[in-house]
Amino acid sequence: MSRVLILNPADDVAIALDDIATGETPDGLNAAARADIATGHKIARHAVEKGGLVRRYGQVIGRAQIAIAAGDHVHVHNLAMAEDGREAEVGADLRPPASLSNATFHGIVRPDGRVGTRNYIGVLTSVNCSATVARRIADAFPNASLPAGVDGVVAFTHQGGCGGSSLSSDVTLLQRTLAGYARHPNFHSILIVGLGCEANQIPAWLANEGLEAGPHLRTLTIQEAGGAARAIEAGVEIVRELVAEAAKIERRPVSASHLTVGLQCGGSDGWSGVTANPALGAAVDLLVAHGGSAMLSETPEIWGAEHLLLRRAVSQDVADKLNARLAWWRDYADRHQMELNNNPSPGNLKGGLTTILEKSLGAVAKSGSTPLNDVIGYAEPLTTAGLTFMDSPGYDPCSATGQIASGANLIVFTTGRGSVFGAKPAPSIKIASNAKLAQWMDEDMDIDASPVVTGTSLAEVGAVIFRKMLDVASGEPSKSEALGIGDNEFVPWQVGAYL
């Protein structure tokens, strides 16, 4: 007999634990299925009249477009967006986090006290025109040739840096993002490569961001070097010196309070909000209890669940900042003739998610239950321990790029359909929401969260995730690192127009 999972007594739908055939009455329901229903999809527990609100997780996920009968498959054909049922009393769910202090990892302590989880040399580019030169410099240092303790030499290229005003919003945003990478504790040192005539001039960028060239921050322009070949030769000599210095770095035990984790989800399915995301939330609660920090992002993917964050906001000011970002995104979508509810991807829909409300409720579960302490802009420096929200698009590489620029020295990424994401210089841990994915893509998945469905508690799986955070932060390669993934996922947010 097929089975279903009821997440909350107030829910109007149950989740199919097995494929359900038409006419079959699953264990736990009193009505026969009126259609074939795939694992992870929703079946109506009882009738819902046309226009009635439909709940999952005890929260509104949409409104019935037509009358729904008990046993119906509830999905895009009969469930639409709802704009009500999301009341938020700021701070209503505010609870002080637990306080723990015994967790440690083996980190890399920089001279200024910042702590990294990796020891890279970064080759940054001021403009797309210098991308090939930067990659050729990095390619001269394959991982197999590097001394022990140096994790890699990586070029970070992008599509911007010119084609607009030197003071345009895109250049300003790019400068902030690049500066975040230049300061990142997972880099021993940085070489910046420019062309020479671009809008994003290196001296102005460094001055704008309070950076200064020095032993660990070197600069090179192709035009001043005498062309591409000479610039590559000069860059290789600079990086060779930096690698020799980076090899002298050693790890040492440090408190888990030095961990800053970027929270990501991609390729979500109907199980993501049941297993992987809330289990990651349990791990985040442990991290925050140990004094660490976490960043939730992807603003379009909290729309519909923002009330849960507002109820955990530490102040009206923090709530106002979050609401301001949501208002900006509504206006942004309108200007580009888009709907925020278009967000669920074809893979999300196939996996059982229907509306952005449903997707967002599952996504917010990654943040656990601790207070929301701050809201920051894309790639702005993280200044507050605990949970922070960083504004970003829902596009995973772009969002993770901003989180790393803000200071994330580790990324944890949940997925239900499958993702092969990596994000140098921050190692990326991937969590599978279901057993089939964990087995099928075992070379990409670090943790299987599916035991939550068969009786393992969220707290237990959360403890496993937290332990994996500490191990990977100490130098254990994540699955994506073992595959060498992460060189091409640097995607700064571009908001404005090219001229």
Side-chain angles (χ1 to χ4, degrees), residues 123-136 155-164 170-171 174-175 178 192-202 205 220 222-223 228 488 490-492 494 498:
V123 184
L124 299 182
T125 51
S126 63
V127 66
N128 178 257
C129 306
S130 58
T132 298
V133 167
R135 287 199 179 278
R136 295 283 176 84
F156 295 90
T157 64
H158 53 86
Q159 304 303 309
C162 207
D170 267 3
V171 171
L174 177 63
Q175 289 183 343
L178 291 168
I192 301 171
V193 181
L195 177 60
C197 57
E198 61 269 25
N200 185 30
Q201 289 285 297
I202 294 176
W205 158 32
L220 174 68
I222 297 169
Q223 291 170 352
N488 300 307
F490 179 70
V491 183
Q494 291 186 319
Y498 290 110

Side-chain angles (χ1 to χ4, degrees), residues 101-110 113-117 250-260 290 409 466-467 470 473-474:
S101 60
N102 59 341
T104 62
F105 69 97
H106 283 75
I108 300 167
V109 182
R110 302 300 181 189
R114 296 172 303 130
V115 176
T117 63
E250 295 183 356
R251 291 178 178 270
R252 68 188 201 208
V254 294
S255 163
S257 63
H258 293 289
L259 267 184
T260 299
H290 284 279
N409 52 16
F466 181 60
R467 181 70 254 170
L470 299 176
S474 297

Side-chain angles (χ1 to χ4, degrees), residues 93 130 201 263-264 302 328 437 446 448:
D93 295 335
S130 58
Q201 289 285 297
L263 310 175
Q264 288 290 323
I302 67 161
W328 184 92
L437 172 64
D446 295 277
D448 177 9

Side-chain angles (χ1 to χ4, degrees), residues 156-224:
F156 295 90
T157 64
H158 53 86
Q159 304 303 309
C162 207
S165 166
S166 298
L167 300 177
S168 71
S169 60
D170 267 3
V171 171
T172 301
L173 194 57
L174 177 63
Q175 289 183 343
R176 188 166 78 210
T177 304
L178 291 168
Y181 272 64
R183 294 189 182 97
H184 200 283
N186 284 8
F187 288 117
H188 167 270
S189 46
I190 293 288
L191 169 63
I192 301 171
V193 181
L195 177 60
C197 57
E198 61 269 25
N200 185 30
Q201 289 285 297
I202 294 176
W205 158 32
L206 297 183
N208 290 343
E209 294 296 332
L211 295 169
E212 292 184 3
H216 294 280
L217 180 59
R218 311 285 287 274
T219 65
L220 174 68
T221 58
I222 297 169
Q223 291 170 352
E224 291 182 3

Side-chain angles (χ1 to χ4, degrees), residues 34-38 41-44 68-69 71-75 77-78:
R34 290 162 53 87
D36 291 346
I37 298 172
H41 282 243
K42 299 176 289 295
I43 182 171
I68 296 174
D72 272 350
H73 180 206
V74 178
H75 202 32
H77 61 287
N78 56 12

Side-chain angles (χ1 to χ4, degrees), residues 402-491:
Q403 290 178 331
I404 294 169
S406 289
N409 52 16
L410 186 69
I411 299 291
V412 182
F413 191 117
T414 67
T415 182
R417 303 293 296 172
S419 169
V420 295
F421 186 76
K424 295 176 182 178
S428 177
I429 298 168
K430 290 194 291 299
I431 305 172
S433 73
N434 61 83
K436 182 179 179 180
L437 172 64
Q439 294 165 7
W440 182 247
M441 295 182 63
D442 58 302
E443 293 182 345
D444 298 281
M445 298 298 115
D446 295 277
I447 294 174
D448 177 9
S450 69
V452 169
V453 175
T454 55
T456 304
S457 70
L458 288 170
E460 289 175 287
V461 179
V464 171
I465 296 171
F466 181 60
R467 181 70 254 170
K468 177 63 75 171
M469 289 180 185
L470 299 176
D471 290 344
V472 171
S474 297
E476 176 188 295
S478 68
K479 292 290 185 70
S480 63
E481 286 184 296
L483 291 169
I485 296 171
D487 295 66
N488 300 307
E489 286 76 7
F490 179 70
V491 183

Side-chain angles (χ1 to χ4, degrees), residues 49-104:
E49 64 182 13
K50 180 180 179 180
L53 294 175
V54 177
R55 289 176 171 81
R56 174 181 176 172
Y57 309 113
Q59 302 288 331
V60 172
I61 62 169
R63 190 180 293 279
Q65 297 185 78
I66 58 176
I68 296 174
D72 272 350
H73 180 206
V74 178
H75 202 32
V76 292
H77 61 287
N78 56 12
L79 185 65
M81 275 292 296
E83 293 293 347
D84 47 359
R86 305 201 298 271
E87 294 73 23
E89 182 181 348
V90 173
D93 295 335
L94 195 60
R95 304 288 184 274
S99 180
L100 302 169
S101 60
N102 59 341
T104 62

